[in-house]
Amino acid sequence: MKKMSRAALVGAAAVSSVVLVSAPAFAHVSVQPEGEAAKGDYAVVDFKVPNERDDAATTKVEVNFPTEHPLASVMPEPVPGWKADVTKTKLDKPMEMHGEKITEAVSKVTWTATGSGKDKGVQPGYFQKFPVSIGQLPTDTDQLVFKALQTYDNKQVVRWIEPQQKGQEEPEFPAPALELSAASDDGHGASGASDDGAKKESAAAATDSGGSSSDTTARTLGIVGIVVGAAGVAFGVLAGRRRTNS
């Protein structure tokens, strides 16, 4: 019994240690697309920021955008209780977008909590999403890495800046990474093809409807003509009989 009790205690301790060690892995800052993030397209992404502290609130979030793959268009969505500041940097090499030359791109977006007391920032046990519209997404990479800094109201700063290396374990403070899907032929995802197909089906339905309507009208007119003709013949026969009787 003693041996079994000791084994159970050792096993429980091992399990609890695993839980304690792996718990922070579920609480890191991440980036997730709302739908599909296709190369060469625009996308809306959410920077998800959880609070992993029991005695402090997150009051500031800084997200650095990759300079090796600059994004000319970055527009944060207003978040209640937060102020967003967009920082732009001049590009060493200008880029073209929609026929225009772009000389600067967004290098950082900073969100600062504006509330007070328990309503300020991300409180313990909660998380906050920060939506951002970005584009055009690059076509020469499969991933965008956004290094982030998370500041608590006790002045502690957590730096989520370690890139994930393929084939290796996740680092202690991984940087948010956005996976990019393959670009479509029209550069607008699968929705363009779906819309075209819907338009074709609608046109075909309209054509079929118009054809069937024409056929119905012709048949109706033909029947009316036959009835009128028969009535005329009957009238003529009756009139002839009346003349004969007279």
Side-chain angles (χ1 to χ4, degrees):
M1 292 294 292
K2 292 183 178 180
K3 291 183 178 179
M4 293 180 61
S5 299
R6 290 178 180 176
L9 289 174
V10 172
V15 171
S16 62
S17 64
V18 171
V19 173
L20 291 174
V21 170
S22 56
F26 296 97
H28 56 258
V29 176
S30 61
V31 57
Q32 302 170 344
E34 295 183 3
E36 185 178 14
K39 297 178 180 180
D41 208 345
Y42 289 81
V44 175
V45 299
D46 290 330
F47 289 97
K48 183 179 179 181
V49 181
N51 188 333
E52 56 178 9
R53 297 290 183 269
D54 297 330
D55 57 353
T58 297
T59 55
K60 186 178 181 180
V61 178
E62 301 173 69
V63 176
N64 293 277
F65 286 72
T67 56
E68 66 275 15
H69 299 290
L71 299 172
S73 177
V74 176
M75 294 184 293
E77 180 179 330
V79 178
W82 294 83
K83 177 186 177 183
D85 294 313
V86 179
T87 302
K88 293 185 178 181
T89 303
K90 290 186 178 181
L91 299 175
D92 295 334
K93 182 180 179 181
M95 56 187 295
E96 290 188 3
M97 179 177 291
H98 304 300
E100 297 183 1
K101 184 174 293 187
I102 306 299
T103 59
E104 61 180 10
V106 172
S107 57
K108 182 172 66 174
V109 176
T110 303
W111 288 271
T112 306
T114 59
S116 60
K118 293 184 178 181
D119 296 330
K120 185 175 183 179
V122 185
Q123 296 295 317
Y126 292 86
F127 71 90
Q128 178 67 57
K129 287 184 178 180
F130 298 93
V132 182
S133 173
I134 60 177
Q136 284 179 304
L137 298 176
T139 58
D140 56 350
T141 184
D142 297 326
Q143 184 186 78
L144 290 178
V145 178
F146 303 87
K147 296 182 179 181
L149 303 181
Q150 182 178 8
T151 303
Y152 290 87
D153 57 7
N154 60 1
K155 307 303 180 182
Q156 183 180 11
V157 179
V158 181
R159 302 169 62 85
W160 304 98
I161 61 174
E162 301 176 13
Q164 173 69 53
Q165 302 296 334
K166 291 184 178 180
Q168 297 184 9
E169 295 183 359
E170 184 179 66
E172 184 177 2
F173 300 99
L178 177 65
E179 302 295 332
L180 303 181
S181 60
S184 59
D185 294 336
D186 58 3
H188 297 287
S191 59
S194 300
D195 292 342
D196 291 341
K199 290 179 181 179
K200 291 180 180 179
E201 291 179 2
S202 178
T207 302
D208 293 341
S209 176
S212 60
S213 177
S214 300
D215 293 342
T216 302
T217 303
R219 291 176 183 175
T220 302
L221 291 176
I223 293 173
V224 171
I226 293 174
V227 172
V228 172
V233 172
F235 180 82
V237 172
L238 289 177
R241 288 182 180 179
R242 289 178 181 176
R243 292 176 183 177
T244 302
N245 294 334
S246 299

